[in-house]
């Protein structure tokens, strides 16, 4: 834990795990019309950049939270693409 | 720029600005049923923790991106509360 200390890790876990209920909701309802496509795409781009940053900095915490976030946003985006 | 360098700042800007199109969409359509309330609340909690972290670390970059994010998520949350 060099660049991210415990409070940062808790904050990062919250912002990452927050997308889990959105995945569940989108999966159950198959309704994603109210989700902004631009939000999902730009957010995913930012998260992928965080992953690249984590790789260069060799920071496992940044890598871990952002890989999980990328998977969750990817799931929401694929549901959005399918259901509109 | 001690803990967050340029690539991190770009990544942070993307993940922050991504919520702007969601605010615009929710404002225009007044339809937020597909947005997970739990996602918004947990995400906001994480962002507020990031702000506290930025204050303790006296990190202007972390503070800036997270204050803007908190405002945008707050707007979406208030529209969600009003429109269901």
């Amino acid at each position: 834990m060099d660049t991210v200390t415990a409070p940062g890790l808790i904050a990062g876990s919250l912002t990452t795990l927050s997308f889990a209920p959105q995945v569940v909701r989108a999966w159950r309802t198959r309704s994603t019309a109210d989700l902004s496509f631009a939000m999902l795409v730009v957010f995913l781009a930012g998260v992928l950049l965080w992953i690249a940053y984590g790789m260069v900095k060799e920071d496992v915490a940044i890598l871990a939270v952002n890989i999980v976030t990328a998977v969750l946003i990817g799931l929401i985006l694929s549901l959005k693409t399918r259901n509109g």
Side-chain angles (χ1 to χ4, degrees), chain A residues 6-80:
Chain A
L9 205 59
I10 297 169
S13 301
L14 283 177
T15 47
T16 291
L17 294 177
S18 70
F19 295 108
Q22 182 64 69
V23 172
V24 172
R25 186 180 189 97
W27 180 264
R28 276 197 193 141
T29 64
R30 304 278 158 169
S31 174
T32 51
D34 297 338
L35 293 171
S36 162
F37 185 74
M39 171 188 70
L40 295 169
V41 169
V42 177
F43 196 88
L44 186 59
V47 169
L48 293 177
L49 208 53
W50 274 124
I51 292 173
Y53 182 72
M55 285 198 288
V56 172
K57 290 258 177 184
E58 294 183 352
D59 188 313
V60 177
I62 290 181
L63 271 173
V65 294
N66 283 290
I67 287 171
V68 176
T69 304
V71 170
L72 293 172
I73 297 290
L75 285 170
I76 299 169
L77 195 56
S78 80
L79 286 163
K80 170 77 180 170

Coordinates of all heavy atoms in Angstrom, one line a residue, chain A residues 6-80:
Chain A
A6 N -5.3 2.7 3.5 CA -6.6 2.1 3.8 C -7.8 2.9 3.5 O -8.8 2.3 2.9 CB -6.5 1.7 5.3
P7 N -7.9 4.2 3.9 CA -9.1 4.9 3.6 C -9.4 5.0 2.1 O -10.6 4.9 1.7 CB -8.9 6.3 4.2 CG -7.7 6.2 5.1 CD -6.9 5.0 4.6
G8 N -8.4 5.2 1.4 CA -8.5 5.2 -0.1 C -9.0 3.9 -0.6 O -9.8 3.8 -1.6
L9 N -8.6 2.8 0.0 CA -9.0 1.5 -0.4 C -10.5 1.2 -0.1 O -11.2 0.6 -0.9 CB -8.1 0.4 0.3 CG -8.0 -0.9 -0.5 CD1 -7.4 -0.7 -1.9 CD2 -7.2 -1.9 0.3
I10 N -10.9 1.7 1.0 CA -12.3 1.6 1.4 C -13.2 2.5 0.4 O -14.2 2.0 -0.1 CB -12.6 2.1 2.8 CG1 -11.8 1.2 3.8 CG2 -14.1 2.1 3.2 CD1 -11.8 1.7 5.2
A11 N -12.7 3.7 0.2 CA -13.4 4.6 -0.8 C -13.5 3.9 -2.2 O -14.6 3.9 -2.8 CB -12.7 5.9 -0.9
G12 N -12.4 3.4 -2.6 CA -12.3 2.7 -3.9 C -13.2 1.5 -4.0 O -13.9 1.2 -5.0
S13 N -13.3 0.7 -2.9 CA -14.2 -0.4 -2.8 C -15.6 0.0 -3.0 O -16.4 -0.7 -3.7 CB -14.0 -1.2 -1.5 OG -12.6 -1.6 -1.4
L14 N -16.0 1.1 -2.3 CA -17.4 1.5 -2.3 C -17.8 2.0 -3.7 O -18.8 1.5 -4.3 CB -17.6 2.7 -1.4 CG -17.7 2.4 0.1 CD1 -17.9 3.7 0.9 CD2 -19.0 1.5 0.4
T15 N -16.9 2.8 -4.4 CA -17.3 3.3 -5.7 C -17.3 2.1 -6.7 O -18.0 2.1 -7.7 CB -16.3 4.4 -6.2 OG1 -15.0 4.0 -5.9 CG2 -16.6 5.7 -5.4
T16 N -16.5 1.1 -6.5 CA -16.5 -0.1 -7.3 C -17.7 -1.0 -7.1 O -18.4 -1.3 -8.1 CB -15.2 -0.9 -7.1 OG1 -14.1 -0.2 -7.5 CG2 -15.3 -2.3 -7.8
L17 N -18.0 -1.3 -5.9 CA -19.1 -2.2 -5.5 C -20.4 -1.6 -5.8 O -21.4 -2.3 -6.0 CB -19.0 -2.7 -4.1 CG -17.7 -3.6 -3.8 CD1 -17.7 -3.9 -2.3 CD2 -17.8 -4.9 -4.6
S18 N -20.5 -0.3 -5.9 CA -21.8 0.4 -6.1 C -22.4 -0.1 -7.4 O -23.6 0.0 -7.6 CB -21.6 1.9 -6.2 OG -20.9 2.3 -7.3
F19 N -21.6 -0.5 -8.4 CA -22.1 -0.9 -9.7 C -22.8 -2.3 -9.7 O -23.5 -2.6 -10.6 CB -21.0 -0.8 -10.8 CG -20.6 0.6 -11.0 CD1 -19.3 1.0 -10.6 CD2 -21.4 1.5 -11.6 CE1 -18.9 2.3 -10.8 CE2 -21.0 2.8 -11.8 CZ -19.8 3.2 -11.4
A20 N -22.5 -3.1 -8.6 CA -23.1 -4.4 -8.6 C -24.6 -4.4 -8.5 O -25.3 -5.1 -9.3 CB -22.6 -5.2 -7.3
P21 N -25.3 -3.5 -7.7 CA -26.7 -3.4 -7.7 C -27.3 -2.9 -9.0 O -28.4 -3.3 -9.4 CB -27.1 -2.5 -6.6 CG -25.8 -1.8 -6.2 CD -24.7 -2.7 -6.5
Q22 N -26.5 -2.1 -9.7 CA -27.0 -1.6 -11.1 C -27.0 -2.8 -12.1 O -27.9 -2.9 -12.9 CB -26.1 -0.5 -11.6 CG -26.5 0.1 -12.9 CD -27.9 0.7 -12.8 OE1 -28.1 1.8 -12.2 NE2 -28.9 0.1 -13.5
V23 N -25.9 -3.7 -12.0 CA -25.9 -4.9 -12.8 C -27.1 -5.7 -12.6 O -27.8 -6.2 -13.5 CB -24.6 -5.7 -12.6 CG1 -24.6 -7.0 -13.4 CG2 -23.4 -4.9 -13.0
V24 N -27.4 -6.0 -11.3 CA -28.5 -6.8 -10.9 C -29.8 -6.3 -11.4 O -30.6 -7.0 -12.0 CB -28.5 -7.0 -9.3 CG1 -29.8 -7.7 -8.9 CG2 -27.3 -7.7 -8.8
R25 N -30.0 -4.9 -11.2 CA -31.2 -4.3 -11.7 C -31.4 -4.4 -13.2 O -32.5 -4.8 -13.7 CB -31.2 -2.8 -11.3 CG -32.6 -2.2 -11.6 CD -32.6 -0.7 -11.2 NE -33.9 -0.2 -11.3 CZ -34.8 0.0 -10.3 NH1 -34.4 -0.4 -9.1 NH2 -36.0 0.4 -10.4
A26 N -30.3 -4.1 -13.9 CA -30.4 -4.1 -15.4 C -30.6 -5.6 -15.9 O -31.3 -5.8 -16.9 CB -29.1 -3.6 -16.0
W27 N -30.0 -6.5 -15.2 CA -30.2 -7.9 -15.6 C -31.6 -8.4 -15.3 O -32.2 -9.1 -16.2 CB -29.2 -8.8 -14.7 CG -29.3 -10.3 -15.1 CD1 -30.0 -11.2 -14.4 CD2 -28.7 -10.9 -16.2 NE1 -29.9 -12.4 -15.0 CE2 -29.0 -12.3 -16.1 CE3 -27.8 -10.5 -17.2 CZ2 -28.6 -13.2 -17.0 CZ3 -27.3 -11.5 -18.1 CH2 -27.7 -12.8 -18.0
R28 N -32.2 -8.0 -14.2 CA -33.5 -8.5 -13.8 C -34.6 -7.8 -14.7 O -35.5 -8.5 -15.2 CB -33.8 -8.1 -12.4 CG -33.3 -9.1 -11.4 CD -33.9 -9.0 -10.0 NE -33.2 -9.7 -9.0 CZ -33.0 -9.3 -7.7 NH1 -33.5 -8.1 -7.4 NH2 -32.4 -10.0 -6.9
T29 N -34.5 -6.5 -14.8 CA -35.6 -5.8 -15.5 C -35.4 -5.8 -17.1 O -36.3 -5.6 -17.8 CB -35.6 -4.3 -15.1 OG1 -34.4 -3.7 -15.5 CG2 -35.8 -4.2 -13.6
R30 N -34.1 -6.0 -17.5 CA -33.8 -6.0 -18.9 C -34.2 -4.6 -19.5 O -34.5 -4.4 -20.7 CB -34.5 -7.0 -19.8 CG -34.3 -8.4 -19.3 CD -33.0 -9.0 -19.8 NE -32.5 -10.1 -19.0 CZ -31.5 -10.9 -19.3 NH1 -30.8 -10.7 -20.5 NH2 -31.1 -11.8 -18.5
S31 N -34.3 -3.6 -18.6 CA -34.7 -2.3 -19.0 C -33.5 -1.3 -18.6 O -33.2 -1.1 -17.5 CB -35.9 -1.9 -18.2 OG -36.2 -0.5 -18.5
T32 N -32.9 -0.7 -19.7 CA -31.8 0.1 -19.4 C -31.9 1.5 -20.2 O -30.9 2.2 -20.4 CB -30.5 -0.6 -19.9 OG1 -30.7 -1.0 -21.3 CG2 -30.1 -1.7 -19.0
A33 N -33.1 1.8 -20.6 CA -33.4 3.0 -21.4 C -32.9 4.3 -20.6 O -32.4 5.2 -21.3 CB -34.8 3.1 -21.7
D34 N -33.0 4.3 -19.3 CA -32.7 5.5 -18.6 C -31.2 5.7 -18.3 O -30.8 6.7 -17.9 CB -33.4 5.5 -17.2 CG -34.9 5.6 -17.4 OD1 -35.4 6.0 -18.4 OD2 -35.6 5.1 -16.4
L35 N -30.4 4.6 -18.6 CA -29.0 4.8 -18.5 C -28.4 5.5 -19.7 O -28.7 5.1 -20.8 CB -28.4 3.4 -18.3 CG -28.7 2.6 -17.1 CD1 -28.2 1.2 -17.2 CD2 -28.1 3.3 -15.8
S36 N -27.5 6.4 -19.4 CA -26.9 7.2 -20.5 C -25.8 6.3 -21.1 O -24.8 5.9 -20.4 CB -26.3 8.5 -20.0 OG -25.4 9.0 -20.9
F37 N -25.9 6.1 -22.4 CA -24.8 5.3 -23.2 C -23.5 6.0 -23.1 O -22.4 5.4 -22.8 CB -25.3 5.1 -24.6 CG -24.3 4.3 -25.4 CD1 -24.3 2.9 -25.2 CD2 -23.5 4.8 -26.4 CE1 -23.5 2.1 -26.0 CE2 -22.6 4.0 -27.1 CZ -22.6 2.6 -26.9
A38 N -23.5 7.4 -23.2 CA -22.3 8.2 -23.1 C -21.6 8.0 -21.8 O -20.4 7.9 -21.7 CB -22.6 9.7 -23.4
M39 N -22.4 8.0 -20.7 CA -21.9 7.9 -19.4 C -21.1 6.5 -19.3 O -19.9 6.5 -18.8 CB -23.0 7.8 -18.3 CG -22.4 7.4 -16.9 SD -23.7 7.2 -15.6 CE -24.5 5.7 -16.2
L40 N -21.7 5.5 -19.7 CA -21.1 4.1 -19.6 C -19.8 4.1 -20.4 O -18.8 3.5 -19.9 CB -22.1 3.1 -20.1 CG -23.3 2.9 -19.2 CD1 -24.4 2.0 -19.9 CD2 -23.0 2.3 -17.8
V41 N -19.8 4.6 -21.7 CA -18.6 4.5 -22.5 C -17.5 5.4 -22.0 O -16.3 4.9 -21.9 CB -19.0 5.0 -24.0 CG1 -17.7 5.1 -24.8 CG2 -19.9 3.9 -24.6
V42 N -17.8 6.6 -21.6 CA -16.8 7.5 -21.1 C -16.2 7.0 -19.7 O -15.0 7.0 -19.5 CB -17.3 9.0 -20.9 CG1 -16.2 9.9 -20.3 CG2 -17.7 9.5 -22.3
F43 N -17.1 6.5 -18.9 CA -16.7 6.0 -17.6 C -15.8 4.8 -17.8 O -14.7 4.6 -17.2 CB -17.9 5.6 -16.7 CG -17.5 5.3 -15.3 CD1 -17.5 6.4 -14.4 CD2 -17.2 4.1 -14.8 CE1 -17.2 6.2 -13.1 CE2 -16.8 3.9 -13.5 CZ -16.8 5.0 -12.6
L44 N -16.1 3.9 -18.8 CA -15.3 2.7 -19.0 C -13.9 3.1 -19.6 O -12.9 2.5 -19.2 CB -16.0 1.8 -20.1 CG -15.3 0.4 -20.4 CD1 -15.1 -0.4 -19.1 CD2 -16.1 -0.4 -21.4
A45 N -13.9 4.1 -20.4 CA -12.6 4.7 -21.0 C -11.8 5.1 -19.8 O -10.6 4.8 -19.8 CB -12.9 5.8 -22.0
G46 N -12.4 5.9 -18.9 CA -11.6 6.3 -17.7 C -11.1 5.2 -16.9 O -9.9 5.2 -16.4
V47 N -11.9 4.2 -16.7 CA -11.5 3.0 -15.9 C -10.3 2.2 -16.6 O -9.4 1.8 -15.9 CB -12.7 2.1 -15.6 CG1 -12.2 0.8 -15.0 CG2 -13.7 2.8 -14.7
L48 N -10.4 2.1 -17.9 CA -9.3 1.4 -18.6 C -8.0 2.2 -18.5 O -6.9 1.6 -18.4 CB -9.7 1.2 -20.1 CG -10.9 0.2 -20.3 CD1 -11.3 0.2 -21.8 CD2 -10.6 -1.2 -19.8
L49 N -8.1 3.5 -18.5 CA -7.0 4.4 -18.3 C -6.4 4.2 -16.9 O -5.2 4.2 -16.7 CB -7.3 5.8 -18.6 CG -6.2 6.8 -19.1 CD1 -5.6 6.2 -20.3 CD2 -6.8 8.1 -19.4
W50 N -7.3 4.1 -15.9 CA -6.8 3.8 -14.5 C -6.1 2.5 -14.5 O -5.1 2.3 -13.7 CB -8.0 3.7 -13.6 CG -8.5 5.0 -13.0 CD1 -9.7 5.6 -13.1 CD2 -7.7 6.0 -12.3 NE1 -9.8 6.8 -12.5 CE2 -8.5 7.1 -11.9 CE3 -6.4 6.0 -11.8 CZ2 -8.1 8.2 -11.2 CZ3 -5.9 7.1 -11.1 CH2 -6.8 8.2 -10.8
I51 N -6.6 1.4 -15.2 CA -5.9 0.1 -15.2 C -4.5 0.3 -15.8 O -3.5 -0.3 -15.3 CB -6.7 -0.9 -16.0 CG1 -8.0 -1.2 -15.3 CG2 -5.9 -2.2 -16.3 CD1 -9.0 -2.1 -16.0
A52 N -4.4 1.0 -16.9 CA -3.1 1.3 -17.6 C -2.1 2.0 -16.6 O -1.0 1.6 -16.4 CB -3.2 2.1 -18.8
Y53 N -2.7 3.0 -15.9 CA -2.0 3.7 -14.8 C -1.5 2.8 -13.7 O -0.4 2.9 -13.3 CB -2.9 4.8 -14.3 CG -2.3 5.7 -13.3 CD1 -1.4 6.7 -13.6 CD2 -2.7 5.7 -11.9 CE1 -0.8 7.6 -12.7 CE2 -2.2 6.6 -11.0 CZ -1.3 7.5 -11.4 OH -0.8 8.4 -10.4
G54 N -2.4 1.9 -13.3 CA -2.0 1.0 -12.2 C -1.0 0.0 -12.7 O -0.1 -0.4 -11.9
M55 N -1.0 -0.4 -14.0 CA 0.1 -1.3 -14.5 C 1.4 -0.6 -14.5 O 2.4 -1.2 -14.1 CB -0.3 -1.8 -15.9 CG -1.4 -2.8 -15.8 SD -1.6 -3.8 -17.4 CE -2.2 -2.6 -18.5
V56 N 1.4 0.7 -15.0 CA 2.7 1.4 -15.1 C 3.3 1.6 -13.7 O 4.4 1.5 -13.4 CB 2.5 2.8 -15.8 CG1 3.7 3.6 -15.7 CG2 2.1 2.5 -17.2
K57 N 2.3 2.0 -12.7 CA 2.8 2.3 -11.3 C 2.9 1.0 -10.5 O 3.4 1.1 -9.4 CB 1.7 3.2 -10.6 CG 1.7 4.6 -11.2 CD 2.4 5.5 -10.2 CE 2.4 7.0 -10.7 NZ 3.1 7.9 -9.8
E58 N 2.6 -0.1 -11.1 CA 2.6 -1.4 -10.4 C 1.9 -1.4 -9.1 O 2.4 -1.8 -8.1 CB 4.1 -1.9 -10.3 CG 4.7 -2.2 -11.6 CD 6.1 -2.8 -11.5 OE1 6.6 -2.8 -10.3 OE2 6.7 -3.2 -12.5
D59 N 0.7 -0.7 -9.1 CA -0.1 -0.5 -7.9 C -1.3 -1.5 -7.9 O -2.2 -1.4 -8.7 CB -0.6 0.9 -7.9 CG -1.3 1.3 -6.6 OD1 -2.1 0.5 -6.1 OD2 -1.0 2.3 -6.0
V60 N -1.1 -2.5 -7.1 CA -2.1 -3.6 -7.1 C -3.5 -3.2 -6.7 O -4.5 -3.6 -7.2 CB -1.6 -4.8 -6.1 CG1 -2.7 -5.9 -6.0 CG2 -0.3 -5.3 -6.6
A61 N -3.6 -2.2 -5.7 CA -4.9 -1.7 -5.3 C -5.7 -1.0 -6.4 O -6.8 -1.3 -6.6 CB -4.7 -0.8 -4.1
I62 N -4.9 -0.1 -7.1 CA -5.6 0.6 -8.2 C -6.0 -0.4 -9.3 O -7.1 -0.3 -9.9 CB -4.6 1.7 -8.8 CG1 -4.4 2.8 -7.8 CG2 -5.1 2.2 -10.2 CD1 -3.5 3.9 -8.3
L63 N -5.1 -1.4 -9.6 CA -5.4 -2.4 -10.6 C -6.7 -3.2 -10.2 O -7.6 -3.3 -11.0 CB -4.2 -3.4 -10.7 CG -3.2 -3.0 -11.7 CD1 -2.0 -4.0 -11.6 CD2 -3.8 -3.0 -13.2
A64 N -6.7 -3.7 -8.9 CA -7.8 -4.5 -8.5 C -9.2 -3.8 -8.6 O -10.1 -4.4 -9.2 CB -7.5 -5.0 -7.0
V65 N -9.3 -2.6 -7.9 CA -10.6 -2.0 -7.9 C -11.0 -1.6 -9.4 O -12.2 -1.7 -9.7 CB -10.7 -0.7 -7.0 CG1 -10.5 -1.1 -5.6 CG2 -9.7 0.3 -7.4
N66 N -10.1 -1.3 -10.2 CA -10.5 -0.8 -11.6 C -10.8 -2.0 -12.5 O -11.6 -1.9 -13.4 CB -9.4 0.1 -12.1 CG -9.6 1.5 -11.5 OD1 -10.5 2.2 -11.8 ND2 -8.6 1.9 -10.7
I67 N -10.1 -3.2 -12.3 CA -10.5 -4.3 -13.1 C -11.9 -4.8 -12.8 O -12.7 -5.1 -13.7 CB -9.4 -5.5 -12.9 CG1 -8.1 -5.1 -13.6 CG2 -9.9 -6.8 -13.4 CD1 -6.9 -6.0 -13.3
V68 N -12.2 -4.8 -11.5 CA -13.6 -5.2 -11.1 C -14.6 -4.2 -11.6 O -15.6 -4.6 -12.2 CB -13.7 -5.3 -9.5 CG1 -15.1 -5.6 -9.1 CG2 -12.8 -6.4 -9.0
T69 N -14.3 -2.9 -11.5 CA -15.2 -1.9 -12.0 C -15.4 -2.1 -13.5 O -16.5 -2.0 -14.0 CB -14.6 -0.5 -11.8 OG1 -14.4 -0.3 -10.4 CG2 -15.6 0.6 -12.2
A70 N -14.3 -2.3 -14.3 CA -14.4 -2.5 -15.7 C -15.3 -3.7 -16.1 O -16.1 -3.5 -17.0 CB -13.0 -2.7 -16.3
V71 N -15.2 -4.8 -15.3 CA -16.1 -5.9 -15.6 C -17.5 -5.6 -15.4 O -18.4 -5.9 -16.2 CB -15.7 -7.1 -14.7 CG1 -16.7 -8.2 -14.8 CG2 -14.3 -7.6 -15.1
L72 N -17.8 -4.9 -14.3 CA -19.2 -4.5 -13.9 C -19.8 -3.5 -15.0 O -20.9 -3.7 -15.4 CB -19.3 -3.9 -12.5 CG -19.0 -4.9 -11.4 CD1 -18.9 -4.1 -10.0 CD2 -20.0 -6.0 -11.3
I73 N -19.0 -2.5 -15.3 CA -19.5 -1.5 -16.3 C -19.6 -2.2 -17.7 O -20.6 -1.9 -18.4 CB -18.5 -0.3 -16.4 CG1 -18.4 0.4 -15.1 CG2 -18.9 0.6 -17.6 CD1 -19.6 1.2 -14.8
G74 N -18.7 -3.2 -18.0 CA -18.8 -3.9 -19.2 C -20.1 -4.7 -19.3 O -20.8 -4.8 -20.4
L75 N -20.5 -5.3 -18.2 CA -21.8 -6.1 -18.1 C -23.0 -5.1 -18.3 O -23.9 -5.4 -19.1 CB -21.9 -6.8 -16.7 CG -21.0 -8.0 -16.5 CD1 -21.1 -8.4 -15.1 CD2 -21.5 -9.1 -17.4
I76 N -23.0 -4.0 -17.7 CA -24.1 -3.0 -17.8 C -24.1 -2.5 -19.3 O -25.2 -2.4 -19.9 CB -23.9 -1.8 -16.9 CG1 -23.9 -2.2 -15.4 CG2 -25.0 -0.7 -17.1 CD1 -23.5 -1.2 -14.4
L77 N -23.0 -2.2 -19.8 CA -22.9 -1.8 -21.2 C -23.4 -2.8 -22.2 O -24.1 -2.5 -23.2 CB -21.4 -1.4 -21.6 CG -21.2 -0.5 -22.8 CD1 -22.0 0.8 -22.7 CD2 -19.7 -0.2 -22.9
S78 N -23.1 -4.1 -22.0 CA -23.6 -5.1 -22.9 C -25.1 -5.3 -22.8 O -25.8 -5.5 -23.8 CB -22.9 -6.4 -22.6 OG -23.4 -7.1 -21.5
L79 N -25.6 -5.1 -21.5 CA -27.1 -5.2 -21.3 C -27.7 -4.0 -22.0 O -28.8 -4.1 -22.7 CB -27.4 -5.2 -19.9 CG -27.2 -6.5 -19.1 CD1 -27.1 -6.4 -17.6 CD2 -28.2 -7.6 -19.6
K80 N -27.1 -2.8 -21.9 CA -27.6 -1.6 -22.5 C -27.6 -1.7 -24.1 O -28.6 -1.3 -24.7 CB -26.7 -0.4 -22.1 CG -26.9 0.9 -22.9 CD -28.2 1.6 -22.4 CE -28.4 2.9 -23.2 NZ -29.7 3.5 -22.9

